[in-house]
Amino acid sequence: MSGVHRVLSFMMQGALALYRLTGPLGLVGLLGLPGAVIAQDTPALRVTATVQAPTEVRVGATVRLELEVLTSTWFTQPPMLPPLDIPGVLVTPPQGEGELVRDSFDGVSYSGVRYTYVLSPTAAGVIHVPALPVTAKVGPGGPVASGTSKPVSFSVLPQTAGAGQAVAAQKMTVTQDFSIAPDPVVVGGRITRSVTQRAEGVQAMLLPAVVLPDLPGFKRYPREPEVTPLDDGRGGFIGGQRIDRADYVAQTAGTFRLPPLTVRWRDGATGAPAKSELPGREFTVAPAPAVTPPFSLSEDLAQLRHGLRWVIPRAWLAWGAGLLAVIVSLWLTWPVWQRLARALRVRAEKAAATRRASEAWHWRAWRHEARRQTPTLGAFYRWLRVASGARDLRAAVAPSGQDSRQTAAAVLRGAYGTPGPTAAWRSMLWRASIHWRQRWRRCQAPARVHALADDLNPAHAERTVTAHDAQGSQ
């Protein structure tokens, strides 16, 4: 226990000594230190763009644009790089991870990442790289910092005379390979010639195609080229690779020679023309061997036919004759069947149109619409027009009495007036439409033979007068 007391007394003495040295204001400052650190301004990023190019840059060469993003603290998230689009230049953005760099400016240590853009000029002139803005989250709390590089430029010279469209490469390797099936070659066999170009500092898509010419006595089948970018395993650009292949199928026997090939390119540093020679190769094509089947086809066929007798029952002959007669009669009367089919189709279409235009069809549509409780009344108004001949609800129920007119007014207020529950007025409309349909169908029923005419029937005359009065009041 005495040891514990000694430790506690030592800690108390240290705290008192610190209080005497700093005072109350110093203690408050120590307590408020985290807030003061957080309140500092977010440090800006140092963004630098540098062009790594040979002394003379010519069309087709590759130029590296290195973009360094540095901060005096640390990155909480990787920097957001801007897209780069330069007219007359094929730009490949950074691939994979960047390279870690450290530097010091005015006594302040900076650390960051270096990214590499690969630029391949396609036209001569002065290439201007614009300022590149970069943002990143840095430091404690992850505030967003930003910075912008300075614009840079470089000149691109045209290709030298006689270079043509040769590609400019730092290092170029051209190899070829032959694949033979079968070996030795016979008529019908195949020879595959492959030419591989590996160029450092050149985009794979800029490597020219190697023309594999035709060869007399062979049928040439070119393949699609294989274009592959080369990297250092971390996404860093190294160069490109292109493989051109062609299959040669032997058509005749004899001795043939595939011609040599020349692949021209230019030194990326000096622009001097260079070339790679691929030797040809001679092949001897032998005639295709005669294939002897392990058995005789003629003897097998003779054995299959031996002892075979066809016995056709008479019933089959009768059924066959009847089927033939039916086919002949159908063929002779085919135009009649076609006209009959067209007439039936027309009648079916007319019947379907009549059914879709009937009151029963529209009534079923309105019934489905009422059950779904949709906010629209399209099916109801279509049925109303067919059932009553009126275009609106007020005119349709005008001859039906005061109760029907009040119900129609309540439905219209619920549907188009003050917003309210949809189920109330739709249920009211559905129940009322059932009674209206019954009344309208009785009115539209054909009159009996012994019944009086409408203008002579007192009940019909009174209903007509009431309908006219109701429409006049509206």
Side-chain angles (χ1 to χ4, degrees):
M1 294 296 293
S2 60
V4 174
H5 285 297
R6 283 197 298 271
V7 172
L8 293 176
S9 63
F10 178 76
M11 294 176 63
M12 294 296 296
Q13 291 175 4
L16 291 174
L18 180 62
Y19 180 77
R20 294 191 189 100
L21 291 174
T22 60
L25 296 178
L27 184 59
V28 173
L30 290 175
L31 294 176
L33 183 59
V37 172
I38 294 175
Q40 292 179 356
D41 294 336
T42 303
L45 300 178
R46 293 185 64 90
V47 183
T48 306
T50 307
V51 174
Q52 303 292 339
T55 306
E56 293 184 355
V57 180
R58 297 186 179 274
V59 174
T62 300
V63 177
R64 296 174 179 264
L65 175 64
E66 296 182 351
L67 186 67
E68 292 186 357
V69 183
L70 304 176
T71 178
S72 58
T73 57
W74 63 87
F75 292 108
T76 59
Q77 287 187 1
M80 300 296 294
L81 303 181
L84 180 58
D85 186 10
I86 304 175
V89 178
L90 179 63
V91 180
T92 301
Q95 304 291 333
E97 303 176 356
E99 180 183 356
L100 298 180
V101 294
R102 301 179 185 276
D103 207 341
S104 178
F105 299 94
D106 298 333
V108 180
S109 297
Y110 286 83
S111 61
V113 189
R114 177 187 296 131
Y115 298 96
T116 302
Y117 291 82
V118 180
L119 311 180
S120 299
T122 58
V126 179
I127 303 301
H128 298 280
V129 180
L132 301 177
V134 182
T135 59
K137 291 186 177 181
V138 299
V144 178
S146 61
T148 305
S149 66
K150 294 182 179 180
V152 294
S153 60
F154 60 93
S155 299
V156 179
L157 301 177
Q159 294 182 352
T160 56
Q165 298 298 325
V167 68
Q170 300 173 4
K171 183 180 179 181
M172 187 78 164
T173 303
V174 184
T175 58
Q176 72 173 343
D177 183 42
F178 293 93
S179 176
I180 305 173
D183 193 4
V185 189
V186 296
V187 174
R190 173 177 52 84
I191 301 173
T192 302
R193 188 176 192 177
S194 305
V195 179
T196 303
Q197 304 177 71
R198 292 177 60 91
E200 294 184 3
V202 179
Q203 297 282 359
M205 63 186 68
L206 296 180
L207 291 174
V210 177
V211 179
L212 300 175
D214 293 330
L215 182 63
F218 285 81
K219 181 68 175 180
R220 183 175 64 91
Y221 297 94
R223 296 190 188 181
E224 290 291 332
E226 297 181 12
V227 180
T228 309
L230 303 178
D231 55 32
D232 57 2
R234 299 179 55 194
F237 173 79
I238 292 180
Q241 173 180 287
R242 180 188 177 102
I243 302 177
D244 295 281
R245 290 190 178 92
D247 294 329
Y248 294 86
V249 178
Q251 303 292 316
T252 58
T255 301
F256 305 91
R257 180 177 180 80
L258 285 172
L261 299 176
T262 301
V263 179
R264 302 184 182 276
W265 51 283
R266 292 184 294 108
D267 190 290
T270 63
K275 63 180 180 179
S276 297
E277 298 285 349
L278 300 177
R281 184 171 174 178
E282 188 175 273
F283 296 92
T284 300
V285 181
V291 179
T292 303
F295 51 85
S296 176
L297 295 177
S298 58
E299 293 180 0
D300 289 346
L301 292 175
Q303 292 179 1
L304 289 175
R305 292 193 299 268
H306 179 71
L308 182 61
R309 297 179 180 178
W310 292 88
V311 178
I312 302 177
R314 294 182 178 180
W316 290 14
L317 294 176
W319 283 103
L323 180 61
L324 181 61
V326 171
I327 294 175
V328 172
S329 62
L330 286 177
W331 178 68
L332 294 175
T333 59
W334 184 247
V336 178
W337 292 108
Q338 285 183 328
R339 289 195 296 271
L340 180 60
R342 285 195 296 268
L344 292 176
R345 185 169 59 253
V346 170
R347 293 192 60 180
E349 292 175 354
K350 289 182 178 180
T354 304
R355 186 174 65 256
R356 287 192 296 267
S358 64
E359 184 270 344
W361 177 280
H362 291 285
W363 172 254
R364 285 194 296 270
W366 158 230
R367 182 174 59 190
H368 294 321
E369 184 181 74
R371 290 177 179 176
R372 288 197 303 268
Q373 296 294 331
T374 58
T376 61
L377 290 174
F380 170 75
Y381 278 108
R382 286 191 291 270
W383 167 78
L384 182 68
R385 184 173 182 180
V386 174
S388 65
R391 294 180 177 271
D392 57 78
L393 182 57
R394 294 181 184 274
V397 302
S400 300
Q402 184 66 23
D403 294 339
S404 298
R405 290 194 292 270
Q406 291 178 356
T407 301
V411 169
L412 294 177
R413 283 195 303 271
Y416 305 106
T418 305
T422 305
W425 61 264
R426 290 188 70 89
S427 300
M428 182 189 304
L429 180 60
W430 167 246
R431 291 192 300 269
S433 60
I434 296 175
H435 300 291
W436 296 338
R437 182 176 185 244
Q438 295 175 356
R439 183 181 298 111
W440 292 336
R441 294 184 69 177
R442 287 196 301 268
C443 294
Q444 293 178 0
R448 294 186 297 273
V449 178
H450 58 274
L452 293 175
D454 289 342
D455 54 350
L456 300 178
N457 193 331
H460 290 183
E462 181 180 357
R463 190 184 301 115
T464 305
V465 172
T466 305
H468 286 296
D469 294 341
Q471 293 179 357
S473 64
Q474 291 181 352

